[in-house]
Every structure is written in C-alpha cells, then in structure tokens.
C-alpha cells in the first residue's frame, strides 16, 4: 500500500527481499485505504502485501520469508540480542574513552567505564517505559513485590549511579546504595530462576523484553555489586 500518508514497511521489505534473492519484481501499489480493503476482500486475505511468484500465491511478507527459508521478522521467542548489543556498544565506548583520556588502554579504567556506561544504558532502557518495565520487574524482585514504587526507584538508582561513577562523584553515598539494590536483585534472580525454576523475561533491558531472566540478568547485578565495592575501596 502506497498513499500520500502511508508507505507500507512490509511492502518495502518484501520488495527488497525479492530483489536481493534474484527475482524480477512487478510491483503493484494500492493507492487508497478503500483499494486496500477491496483487494483483501476480493482475494480473501486479511493483510497486504501479497506476493505471487510465477503466478502462484506465496502470501504475506511473513509467508515470503518462510518460502525463502528465512527466520521470522521480527524474530519470535527469547533473544539475547538486545543485551549483547548494549554490552558491545558500552565496551567499545569504554575502550575509546579510555584511549582518548589516558592515551593507553588501562584495563581497570576500561572495566570501570564499561560497567558505568552499561548501567547508564540499561537505566535508559528502563526509564523509556517505566510502567512496562515495572510490570516485568515486580514479577521477581523481592523488594518491588512488597513495595511497587521501588521498581521506579531502582531504575533511577542504576542510571544516576552509572553517570556518577563515570566521573567518580560522591561515590561514598551512591556506592552503598548500588550495592544494596544490586544485592537484592541478585538474590531475587537466584530465588526466581534457580530455586523456583520460573520462566520469566528479564526487565534489565526494559519493558516487553525478549531476554530471558537468568545468567545475563544475574551478571548485570553482580557487575553492579563489584563496581560498588571497588568504588568504595578506592
């Protein structure tokens, strides 16, 4: 469907997919909502675009991906991709900032910045949709289950602490708070996943997460605990 107000993303992606797989494409646009509705009714389908190959109906964009042997788009089920992407970017930031500021890749400083940057980015993920994040967080965090507003406080603590730890500001105040919060988080994850064997999604990357609760979530809390202890010792 191509109108002055709407350009169908699935049509664009289907067109690109066909071309990249060597097909010559005859592209037919539906220029109005009425034309789109009439097409669906007359062909007995409930969505567009509809793809034909050699006059045989393949179906929608999802059906085309299946026809070409490709995974679903967006990928269904659990995925570690969001957290992997965050860690790769924050580690790259830690490397470049350390090099730019010190002229060398000092390991301790790289790790400090990596954890601090990760806390900031993970905090942003939570803050962008606090209600959705809190809905996931209260399913396993022991303190948030008793006092729901703590979920919002935790997101603020993680984000602010990351920013302060980058600059090394008021660490004697923020580090104990982070240590307590991340300690409760670690205990909560161990209880929910490894003792009760519950199948949950991790709220660490925000609401509607596809990341399973488990090792990665526990790692985030352990990183925060280690960072807090290190900053206190410094």
């Amino acid at each position: 469907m191509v109108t002055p107000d709407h350009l169908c993303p699935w049509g664009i992606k289907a067109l690109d997919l066909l071309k990249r797989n060597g097909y010559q494409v005859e592209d037919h646009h539906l220029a109005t909502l009425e034309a789109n509705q009439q097409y669906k009714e007359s062909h007995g389908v409930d969505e567009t675009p509809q793809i034909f190959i050699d006059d045989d109906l393949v179906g929608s964009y999802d059906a085309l991906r299946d026809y070409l042997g490709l995974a679903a788009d967006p990928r269904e089920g659990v995925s570690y991709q969001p957290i992997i992407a965050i860690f790769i970017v924050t580690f790259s930031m830690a490397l470049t900032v350390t090099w730019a500021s010190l002229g060398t890749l000092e390991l301790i400083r790289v790790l400090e910045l990596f954890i601090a940057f990760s806390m900031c980015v993970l905090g942003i993920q939570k803050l962008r949709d606090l209600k959705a994040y809190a809905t996931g967080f209260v399913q396993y965090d022991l303190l948030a289950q008793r006092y729901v507003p703590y979920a919002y406080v935790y997101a603020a603590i993680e984000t602010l602490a990351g920013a302060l730890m980058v600059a090394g500001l008021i660490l004697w105040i923020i580090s104990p708070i982070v240590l307590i919060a991340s300690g409760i988080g670690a205990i909560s994850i161990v209880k929910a996943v490894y003792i009760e064997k519950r199948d949950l999604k991790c709220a660490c990357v925000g609401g509607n997460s596809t990341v399973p609760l488990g090792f990665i979530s526990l790692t985030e809390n352990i990183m925060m605990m280690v960072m807090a202890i290190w900053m206190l010792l410094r």
Side-chain angles (χ1 to χ4, degrees):
M1 185 169 134
V2 178
T3 75
D5 300 320
H6 177 74
L7 186 59
C8 175
W10 308 115
I12 295 172
K13 296 179 80 170
L15 184 63
D16 172 73
L17 197 56
L18 286 165
K19 288 181 176 178
R20 285 193 287 113
N21 280 271
Y23 289 94
Q24 292 183 340
V25 182
E26 186 178 348
D27 191 17
H28 298 275
H29 293 171
L30 298 167
T32 65
L33 287 172
E34 292 76 14
N36 187 57
Q37 186 61 34
Q38 289 173 5
Y39 180 89
K40 290 190 289 187
E41 290 175 357
S42 63
H43 288 78
V45 296
D46 56 10
E47 61 182 328
T48 57
Q50 291 292 313
I51 295 96
F52 294 79
I53 295 180
D54 294 331
D55 295 325
D56 293 326
L57 176 63
V58 173
S60 65
Y61 172 70
D62 290 334
L64 174 62
R65 292 189 67 88
D66 186 59
Y67 178 87
L68 296 173
L70 301 174
D73 176 17
R75 188 179 298 275
E76 299 175 351
V78 300
S79 172
Y80 288 100
Q81 182 176 335
I83 197 71
I84 291 172
I86 288 172
F87 284 161
I88 289 175
V89 171
T90 53
F91 187 69
S92 299
M93 292 170 63
L95 287 173
T96 54
V97 170
T98 301
W99 180 264
S101 59
L102 301 179
T104 183
L105 295 178
E106 182 181 310
L107 179 60
I108 296 299
R109 187 54 180 162
V110 170
L111 294 176
E112 287 177 350
L113 289 176
F114 167 59
I115 295 174
F117 288 152
S118 296
M119 290 169 63
C120 289
V121 176
L122 290 169
I124 292 170
Q125 290 292 100
K126 296 174 177 67
L127 292 171
R128 66 186 179 87
D129 190 343
L130 274 171
K131 290 183 178 180
Y133 146 71
T135 300
F137 192 65
V138 298
Q139 293 184 57
Y140 59 88
D141 188 85
L142 296 174
L143 183 52
Q145 288 174 354
R146 293 178 175 272
Y147 184 65
V148 173
Y150 171 69
Y152 306 104
V153 173
Y154 182 89
I157 289 173
E158 182 175 29
T159 312
L160 178 61
L164 292 173
M165 286 177 172
V166 170
L169 298 175
I170 58 172
L171 298 179
W172 61 278
I173 295 178
I174 198 65
S175 293
I177 296 174
V178 171
L179 183 59
I180 294 170
S182 56
I184 293 171
I187 293 170
S188 300
I189 293 168
V190 170
K191 179 178 182 293
V193 176
Y194 299 104
I195 297 176
E196 297 176 349
K197 307 294 184 182
R198 297 170 64 198
D199 184 15
L200 298 170
K201 298 294 189 298
C202 177
C204 60
V205 291
N208 305 314
S209 168
T210 60
V211 178
L213 185 69
F215 174 75
I216 296 294
S217 318
L218 186 59
T219 299
E220 176 199 1
N221 283 273
I222 291 174
M223 285 170 54
M224 291 172 62
M225 292 171 65
V226 170
M227 183 68 162
I229 293 170
W230 171 251
M231 290 296 181
L232 282 172
L233 292 175
R234 289 186 62 190

